[in-house]
Amino acid sequence: MEVSLDKRYPVAAGIEQAWAVLKDVRATAACMPGAAITEQTDDTHYKGTVKSKVGPSTLLFGGDIEVLGLDEAARELHMVGKGADKSGSSASMDLTAHLEPAETQDTCTLVGRAVVKVNGKLAQFGSRLLVPVSDVMLGQFADNFSAAAAAAMTRPAVVEAPAQQVDAAPQAQPSAVPPSQQIDTPPAPAPAKELNALALAWAVFKSWLRGLFGSRA
Amino acid sequence: MNAPTDPALQERTAALQGMGDSRLRKEDARFIQGKGNYVDDIKLPGMLHMDIVRSPLAHARIKRIDKSEALKVPGVIAVLTAEDLKPIKLHWMPTLAGDVAAVLADGKVHFQMQEVAVVIAEDRYAAADGVEAVQVEYEELEAVIDPYATLAPDAPVIREDLAGKTTGAHGAREHHNHIFTWEAGDKSAADAAFGVAPVTVAARIHYPRVHPCPLETCGCVASFDPVRGELTTYMTSQAPHVVRTVVSMLSGVPESKVRIISPDIGGGFGNKVGVYPGYVCAIVASIVLGKPVKWIEDRIENISTTAFARDYHMDGELAATPDGKITALRVNVIADHGAFDACADPTKFPAGLFHICSGSYDIPAAYACVKGVYTNKAPGGVAYRCSFRVTEAVYLIERMVDILANRLGLDKAEIRRRNLIRKEQFPYASPFGFEYDSGDYHTALAKVLDAVDYKGLRAEQAAKRADPNCPTLMGIGLVTFTEVVGAGPSKMCDILGIGMFDSCEIRVHPTGAAIARMGTITQGQGHQTTYAQIIATELGIPSEVIQVEEGDTSTAPYGLGTYGSRSTPVAGAAIAMAARKIHAKARKIAAHLLEVGEDDLDWEIDRFKVKGDDARFKTMKDICWAAYNNTPAGVEPGLEAVHYYDPPNFTYPFGVYLCVLDIDRGTGETHVRRFLALDDCGVRINPMIIEGQVHGGLTEGYAVAMGQQMPFDAQGNLLGNTLMDYFLPTAVETPHWETDYTVTPSPHHPLGAKGVAESPHVGSIPTFTAAVVDAFEHLGVTNMTMPHTSYRVWQQLKECGAAL
Amino acid sequence: MAKRIIKLTVNGKTVEKAVEPRMLLIHFLREECQLTGPHIGCETSHCGACTVDLDGESVKSCTHLAVQCDGSTVLTVEGLAQGGVLHAVQEGFYKEHGLQCGFCTPGMLMRAYRLLQENPDPTEAEIRTGISGNLCRCTGYQNIVKAIQYAAKKLKADAEAKQTVAA
């Protein structure tokens, strides 16, 4: 089953700093709760994992990320992530994200369009939660991203052309990185933990409750 | 049979509690005390439990199955996959429709939740743990869900096992996802009539996929005794003898050493006719391990994988005169069978008895064509509380007649009056070749319209429509339907080559009690009571002392089981015929005891009387005793008979249903104000039991029409397969039902009985749709697809600008 | 997980068993206590076929762990008849044809039993709401309602008869 999400999130950093983080695929992936890049197979292909915990059972999605486009001028990243869990759920996300200037120099807006496709058990049993859960997950992602971009402001901008990330042999990078920590960017305030679905459910509920009274993140 | 007026005779008749008596049920005693014997109640020494690993994807290749972790789970004894069944050639099995179905997925899965592996363990918890630990790697394939898209030239190939097979069990296959094309009627006559018709209407009528969902799920306890070489399997089966034959053929165990026992069954409704992979795997596991193996599916498995019903996409057309007289019918159907054609139909009829779709109407020319196709969904379809495809047929014709009425501005009762087959026309030869045995449709219609004050209702509706402030839309739905049940004459009807006769064996004891066994199997229909009632009247023995048994293939005579309302028409006839053989012998004995000729005797309720001499008689009780010690010369002792009945024709019960409902314009909620169901099932055995079953069938019909659905997304995920979503009405939303009846006996049936209790399901579903559509008709709506949930009705209100 | 010893009263008898903490009450009753009256019809707690009476309340035994019921009193359909005499609800279901396949019946009876304790004189609407946690596929509920009304009347009459005797 398929869901489309169009989101806009405020970022507590200037557009250049935010772009530095966005085009760094590992850094961006690290902002997704429970996610990590484990390997880079070539310029545009990565392998990664997302770990999600629902009560006593843990879902471990292993999958592939392909960067389909990185547009410096438009400050836009287009990537596709696909993964499957051994217990029989699979998911893919086609994400186009770009940055727009906001009111001040120190802020900008992250604009994202995600088409999420879920198949298997997750689709069968989780379909009615897909949109609210995705909403909250993306909200957490945006918070982490914003924090990462803000932290980047205190350092010189690390402008790495995508080609640089290809230099290192695929195994060199992951060995330096414990699976659930970020790399290349200063640690975000909230380290990427496992996605805890019970906490997520509470967040979904709170968000729904807020929505009833008109305020939306 | 005329009821006696003499009080003494009435008393003797009443004492029998036979035909026509609303006697209380004999089977209730064990159920109300929790002493029923359902399959999951059965515990055998050393019994193991089986659970199933199922595919999360609708269409995928299996790259690898890793059993190692599962085998380490405490309590797990074995894990079987298709590879383990290959050496005994049981990884695929034949279906009842001439196709093959995977028992365990062989390299590829074809529908979500398909069986991939089975885990056998010491208890059900360990089996479940084992299932979680089996690791399967899949490679996703593109799924095809839409039955029209499945016939596109570039549609994914679902059945690679049928590659290159251009003929199937039912003729030529025109595409890799095509199963069969079946035709009935006269195409050129129909086309000619359409060519000159002044009025024609056409509509696509969709009958969505639903599931019978009985309260007890499917399951079995398979027990192979390696010492005796005997296989006993307790099974939730509506057709135990057929299963025995199939199991013997598949397993190689001689049929004399296979015993299938259908104990108490918690509802069937067609769900328990087929042979499911779980049964086959449990039997194999028991043979391999030499221990009993129990498999009981859970509700999600039941809804997701056992036989679904319907999923017919029907393009209907009627040709008519300007005053609404129908001259021809044409129907083209796409039938979505899922990944395997596991339809339980008589072999020669891949679309069942769909050609009853000319309905209760006198239509001169008709043609029907049904194309079966494969999709990545669970296999089937089955007859959910109906005779084969009769729900679809009746739905189609009743919708089309309403659409024609709408086109011509004719009242829906009036158009029926003009087209219903008249009483004098019976037996009636339908344009599809059925010979309807008997009917009096006009009387039934008049009775219903009169009872509800139809004119008054239409006047009320007109007034409400004229009032823009009326908060509801009022709908009146009327259906006049004919079913075809009692499959069936063996020259036409067979299941896997076995003719669809049925049987009864009766043995009467010296003290006047009896035991009788039949080839059918009750799942709540009350056979232990109604069958005893038949025998009671035929033999003059109280039904209270007639023991009825069904379901054990080692003791019951061969029968084709209970589904499609066939028990009374076929087994009921066998019972009457067997009883009459005993009755004939009893006459001989009576004549011998009274020292008169057989022709000098009259039968009266429970005894033979000498003509003209009331004081000289022998009761059946006397005769029973004499049968064991004083039979005439040349007559064997004992008093028993067997009869196998091959019916000369189907039977054709009919009904007239009317529903009044009010739709809330704010919420789309429907309130059923009134529902009157008039059924004619011929001679009635037990009115109380008939009425109870009509209530049940109407409720299941309400569920289908107003809420049941099986939504698939584009990748074949079944999105609503628990009772959170699948609509089973509670006592709160179930309407109050009113029932009535007429009696038009079947001329060819020994008792004049036609069979009942699926009619309320068959007839009520189009009645609800008719009423809902009628509520919107003045706003230009001519058809709406089920289910008529509040949300969907609300969407229609919005579309018409009628929402508050 | 290590088994735990639990002790409960089931149909008037003390039962003491060692069970896994994850064992459901319905499985405990059906498999440890050999009481196959309560049935399993779903796994989402909708159908009510597993309904029993626990410490004076109708509960769905599929949604209770056996260990949660340590020290409790359970009544199942097998415990309704006393001294070979059927309870009023059982008689009502028989007399009013409130069952067909019998699968929902044990749960329905236990619910009816408790419903009439809670509300001895229910209206039809109250009965329908009262049994809305118990699904039936065969009867359409109409005769079940009549059965419960029959039982209500009988219980009232029996109570009055007792009072008359006592007086």
Side-chain angles (χ1 to χ4, degrees):
Chain A
M1 71 163 299
E2 196 175 291
V3 206
S4 284
L5 299 152
D6 285 287
K7 294 284 169 188
R8 299 178 70 85
Y9 298 104
V11 180
I15 201 165
E16 291 307 321
Q17 284 70 26
W19 175 239
V21 178
L22 186 63
K23 69 181 187 182
D24 180 345
V25 175
R26 288 176 182 271
T28 300
C31 296
M32 182 61 78
I37 301 276
T38 53
E39 194 184 326
Q40 179 174 5
T41 52
D42 65 37
D43 312 24
T44 52
H45 290 84
Y46 300 81
K47 283 200 186 303
T49 59
V50 176
K51 201 168 177 198
S52 160
K53 199 166 131 69
V54 184
S57 68
T58 306
L59 283 171
L60 181 65
F61 280 76
D64 307 298
I65 294 171
E66 185 181 346
V67 176
L68 297 172
L70 206 56
D71 185 336
E72 282 280 352
R75 298 194 188 92
E76 185 180 273
L77 164 70
H78 182 200
M79 59 182 257
V80 162
K82 269 202 286 242
D85 166 78
K86 293 225 159 125
S87 77
S89 296
S90 74
S92 72
M93 176 167 71
D94 187 318
L95 171 68
T96 305
H98 72 269
L99 293 162
E100 285 174 5
E103 271 114 43
T104 71
Q105 286 246 330
D106 309 335
T107 58
C108 64
T109 306
L110 174 66
V111 182
R113 168 148 225 270
V115 177
V116 179
K117 269 197 208 166
V118 178
N119 202 4
K121 268 194 188 163
L122 203 52
Q124 210 181 19
F125 300 114
S127 61
R128 53 166 56 84
L129 284 179
L130 200 57
V131 171
V133 167
S134 303
D135 267 359
V136 174
M137 275 176 65
L138 289 174
Q140 286 181 355
F141 165 80
D143 287 345
N144 292 342
F145 179 83
S146 179
M153 276 176 79
T154 64
R155 291 171 153 213
V158 180
V159 179
E160 285 184 303
Q164 275 189 296
Q165 294 187 319
V166 180
D167 290 352
Q171 53 269 41
Q173 297 201 325
S175 63
V177 181
S180 48
Q181 278 185 6
Q182 308 166 66
I183 51 158
D184 289 341
T185 54
K193 295 188 288 235
E194 294 176 334
L195 185 67
N196 185 318
L198 289 178
L200 194 59
W202 179 237
V204 169
F205 176 70
K206 283 198 293 189
S207 157
W208 169 78
L209 206 55
R210 250 184 286 130
L212 287 182
F213 297 104
S215 58
R216 277 263 172 210
Chain B
M1 181 186 325
N2 298 315
T5 47
D6 179 329
L9 297 179
Q10 281 179 336
E11 212 184 294
R12 275 164 46 201
T13 304
L16 293 182
Q17 291 187 289
M19 290 285 292
D21 193 314
S22 281
R23 63 151 297 153
L24 299 178
R25 294 195 338 162
K26 301 175 77 204
E27 45 268 81
D28 286 359
R30 63 185 183 276
F31 296 133
I32 57 177
Q33 296 182 76
K35 298 292 183 192
N37 189 33
Y38 302 91
V39 171
D40 197 14
D41 298 343
I42 290 161
K43 294 184 184 71
L44 301 179
M47 188 172 78
L48 304 172
H49 289 256
M50 189 181 95
D51 201 349
I52 302 182
V53 178
R54 296 179 177 276
S55 167
L57 300 170
H59 200 197
R61 273 191 219 296
I62 298 176
K63 292 177 60 194
R64 212 168 59 94
I65 303 179
D66 185 349
K67 305 179 188 180
S68 55
E69 290 304 309
L71 288 167
K72 292 183 196 152
V73 171
V76 169
I77 304 215
V79 178
L80 303 177
T81 65
E83 292 307 309
D84 300 299
L85 298 179
K86 269 182 188 158
I88 46 178
K89 297 204 187 62
L90 275 178
H91 51 310
W92 288 84
M93 62 178 174
T95 68
L96 296 174
D99 194 359
V100 287
V103 172
L104 290 176
D106 180 16
K108 161 172 199 200
V109 294
H110 300 81
F111 62 94
Q112 187 174 54
M113 301 279 290
Q114 181 179 355
E115 299 83 357
V116 172
V118 296
V119 173
I120 296 108
E122 283 165 0
D123 64 75
R124 64 177 80 226
Y125 286 75
D129 289 341
V131 165
E132 292 291 304
V134 173
Q135 288 166 359
V136 187
E137 251 174 70
Y138 297 98
E139 179 194 308
E140 278 182 52
L141 296 171
E142 189 192 333
V144 55
I145 298 306
D146 182 290
Y148 291 95
T150 201
L151 290 178
D154 57 350
V157 176
I158 298 173
R159 297 291 301 277
E160 288 170 356
D161 61 295
L162 298 178
K165 295 210 171 114
T166 51
T167 22
H170 305 288
R173 294 180 64 216
E174 51 191 61
H175 179 280
H176 52 266
N177 291 334
H178 173 256
I179 312 174
F180 64 82
T181 298
W182 179 84
E183 295 174 283
D186 186 337
K187 186 168 198 298
S188 49
D191 287 348
F194 272 90
V196 301
V199 180
T200 61
V201 288
R204 171 157 300 170
I205 309 288
H206 178 40
Y207 205 134
R209 175 181 280 234
V210 287
H211 189 280
C213 208
L215 201 62
E216 179 204 28
T217 60
C218 299
C220 68
V221 178
S223 179
F224 182 70
D225 180 335
V227 171
R228 291 180 173 76
E230 290 173 3
L231 173 66
T232 301
T233 305
Y234 297 84
M235 191 185 280
T236 51
S237 175
Q238 294 175 238
H241 289 92
V242 176
V243 171
R244 183 187 73 188
T245 304
V246 169
V247 165
S248 170
M249 289 180 349
L250 291 181
S251 67
V253 178
E255 201 172 350
S256 47
K257 292 197 168 194
V258 177
R259 183 180 185 188
I260 306 292
I261 301 174
S262 297
D264 290 322
I265 299 185
F269 313 123
N271 186 229
K272 295 171 174 164
V273 175
V275 173
Y276 296 118
Y279 301 150
V280 176
C281 292
I283 288 170
V284 169
S286 181
I287 292 174
V288 165
L289 298 169
K291 284 184 160 181
V293 175
K294 174 182 273 192
W295 168 66
I296 307 288
E297 62 170 3
D298 64 28
R299 179 58 59 191
I300 291 173
E301 294 176 294
N302 174 255
I303 294 176
S304 308
T305 68
T306 62
F308 71 90
R310 328 288 201 241
D311 221 348
Y312 258 31
H313 302 255
M314 311 180 276
D315 285 322
E317 299 172 87
L318 286 178
T321 66
D323 44 71
K325 191 78 185 66
I326 302 168
T327 56
L329 162 71
R330 267 196 309 226
V331 196
N332 281 283
V333 179
I334 296 283
D336 185 340
H337 281 264
F340 310 117
D341 184 359
C343 221
D345 288 319
T347 310
K348 298 180 179 65
F349 299 102
L353 303 174
F354 180 74
H355 48 310
I356 195 69
C357 59
S358 56
S360 309
Y361 311 105
D362 185 12
I363 301 177
Y367 169 73
C369 175
V370 180
K371 271 195 194 171
V373 301
Y374 292 121
T375 57
N376 288 112
K377 299 176 190 158
V382 87
Y384 166 13
R385 197 155 188 162
C386 62
S387 187
F388 317 100
R389 298 295 180 182
V390 171
T391 34
E392 292 86 322
V394 166
Y395 193 81
L396 182 276
I397 188 65
E398 290 303 302
R399 292 305 314 126
M400 292 312 301
V401 168
D402 274 5
I403 288 168
L404 178 64
N406 170 273
R407 169 71 65 83
L408 297 173
L410 271 177
D411 175 83
K412 304 215 182 84
E414 181 55 31
I415 195 171
R416 287 172 165 81
R417 248 184 241 113
R418 292 182 190 181
N419 284 284
L420 287 174
I421 301 164
R422 290 182 323 277
K423 190 171 164 184
E424 317 79 74
Q425 292 178 277
F426 288 92
Y428 171 81
S430 89
F432 286 114
F434 284 114
E435 190 183 88
Y436 291 23
D437 55 5
S438 65
D440 185 357
Y441 302 151
H442 288 90
T443 301
L445 176 60
K447 208 174 177 205
V448 167
L449 297 179
D450 215 48
V452 303
D453 181 18
Y454 181 70
K455 284 204 180 72
L457 286 172
R458 285 290 179 201
E460 183 194 341
Q461 184 184 49
K464 287 195 152 117
R465 283 175 176 175
D467 173 9
N469 296 320
C470 181
T472 57
L473 297 183
M474 175 181 165
I476 303 167
L478 174 68
V479 155
T480 51
F481 68 93
T482 298
E483 298 182 279
V484 54
V485 306
S490 61
K491 62 185 187 299
M492 267 193 278
C493 298
D494 68 89
I495 301 268
L496 294 180
I498 301 172
M500 292 186 74
F501 56 83
D502 226 283
S503 61
C504 170
E505 156 197 291
I506 305 172
R507 181 173 302 145
V508 184
H509 307 317
T511 48
I515 184 163
R517 299 183 175 108
M518 300 78 182
T520 48
I521 172 70
T522 194
Q523 313 118 40
Q525 293 90 331
H527 292 175
Q528 291 184 304
T529 305
T530 56
Y531 285 177
Q533 291 180 254
I534 297 173
I535 299 170
T537 298
E538 294 287 330
L539 294 185
I541 294 173
S543 58
E544 193 58 28
V545 300
I546 300 171
Q547 191 79 348
V548 169
E549 289 183 358
E550 290 171 301
D552 182 341
T553 61
S554 286
T555 54
Y558 205 104
L560 278 285
T562 293
Y563 42 83
S565 297
R566 66 183 300 275
S567 300
T568 296
V570 193
I575 295 168
M577 301 305 280
R580 286 170 196 181
K581 286 176 177 168
I582 292 175
H583 188 99
K585 182 167 179 176
R587 179 180 280 267
K588 284 190 163 58
I589 296 173
H592 168 71
L593 294 174
L594 293 164
E595 294 171 330
V596 295
E598 286 185 50
D599 297 333
D600 298 325
L601 292 172
D602 281 332
W603 169 257
E604 184 193 77
I605 299 168
D606 54 3
R607 62 196 60 174
F608 286 100
K609 292 165 44 165
V610 175
K611 281 183 174 148
D613 189 354
D614 279 1
R616 294 181 63 213
F617 61 86
K618 285 292 170 191
T619 63
M620 191 48 120
K621 209 156 185 263
D622 300 329
I623 293 163
C624 291
W625 185 261
Y628 287 86
N629 59 69
N630 188 5
T631 52
V635 175
E636 294 173 7
L639 201 55
E640 68 181 65
V642 177
H643 192 91
Y644 283 75
Y645 185 78
D646 188 356
N649 191 1
F650 301 99
T651 57
Y652 302 81
F654 62 94
V656 179
Y657 289 2
L658 190 140
C659 174
V660 184
L661 48 80
D662 302 288
I663 296 174
D664 183 316
R665 289 171 59 195
T667 61
E669 280 177 284
T670 303
H671 173 244
V672 174
R673 202 202 295 178
R674 189 166 189 188
F675 197 107
L676 173 56
L678 184 152
D679 278 283
D680 191 317
C681 59
V683 169
R684 291 151 59 88
I685 303 172
N686 184 322
M688 176 192 81
I689 287 182
I690 291 172
E691 188 192 63
Q693 287 189 281
V694 172
H695 292 167
L698 294 173
T699 304
E700 289 193 317
Y702 175 77
V704 169
M706 308 306 286
Q708 285 179 351
Q709 45 183 340
M710 302 183 75
F712 288 86
D713 70 15
Q715 295 139 299
N717 295 297
L718 175 52
L719 301 175
N721 59 356
T722 71
L723 295 185
M724 288 191 284
D725 294 297
Y726 196 69
F727 178 52
L728 297 186
T730 70
V732 170
E733 56 271 359
T734 301
H736 182 86
W737 309 114
E738 292 168 66
T739 61
D740 198 356
Y741 67 96
T742 56
V743 179
T744 313
S746 170
H748 69 75
H749 189 277
L751 300 170
K754 291 187 174 181
V756 73
E758 292 184 319
S759 49
H761 191 68
V762 170
S764 64
I765 294 167
T767 310
F768 288 115
T769 295
V772 171
V773 173
D774 184 72
F776 284 93
E777 211 181 35
H778 60 300
L779 303 169
V781 176
T782 54
N783 197 34
M784 289 165 69
T785 302
M786 302 184 284
H788 308 298
T789 59
S790 309
Y791 179 53
R792 290 166 66 92
V793 171
W794 178 82
Q795 285 178 306
Q796 182 72 74
L797 284 164
K798 285 293 232 194
E799 209 178 291
C800 293
L804 282 181
Chain C
M1 226 180 277
K3 288 194 175 176
R4 287 214 225 150
I5 303 206
I6 58 171
K7 192 166 163 185
L8 32 157
T9 308
V10 182
N11 295 337
K13 290 204 187 83
T14 306
V15 175
E16 191 170 335
K17 300 253 178 202
V19 298
E20 283 187 38
R22 63 176 177 168
M23 178 173 247
L24 298 174
L25 179 61
I26 182 66
H27 290 138
F28 178 79
L29 293 170
R30 287 178 57 81
E31 285 163 32
E32 299 297 324
C33 305
Q34 316 302 329
L35 294 167
T36 56
H39 297 136
I40 299 171
C42 74
E43 58 273 18
T44 49
S45 75
H46 285 84
C47 77
C50 65
T51 304
V52 298
D53 208 67
L54 178 72
D55 296 331
E57 277 190 306
S58 294
V59 301
K60 293 182 173 175
S61 58
C62 67
T63 358
H64 278 63
L65 298 171
V67 294
Q68 282 176 284
C69 305
D70 188 17
S72 286
T73 301
V74 180
L75 188 67
T76 73
V77 66
E78 289 96 330
L80 273 183
Q82 292 298 321
V85 177
L86 293 176
H87 188 277
V89 292
Q90 291 170 304
E91 191 179 309
F93 272 67
Y94 172 59
K95 288 277 164 75
E96 297 292 337
H97 187 39
L99 63 145
Q100 292 179 30
C101 81
F103 201 74
C104 77
T105 307
M108 200 62 88
L109 283 168
M110 291 319 296
R111 178 57 199 141
Y113 164 81
R114 181 50 57 189
L115 171 66
L116 291 177
Q117 308 269 330
E118 293 162 356
N119 183 353
D121 199 7
T123 61
E124 174 164 349
E126 285 169 338
I127 292 175
R128 284 179 179 267
T129 304
I131 61 171
S132 59
N134 293 75
L135 298 178
C136 173
R137 296 290 279 148
C138 297
T139 68
Y141 307 103
Q142 204 150 307
N143 286 347
I144 291 179
V145 169
K146 285 163 77 178
I148 296 174
Q149 289 169 331
Y150 176 106
K153 252 205 211 121
K154 180 167 200 314
L155 286 169
K156 197 165 168 211
D158 287 351
E160 280 165 8
K162 269 211 192 100
Q163 277 195 325
T164 318
V165 169

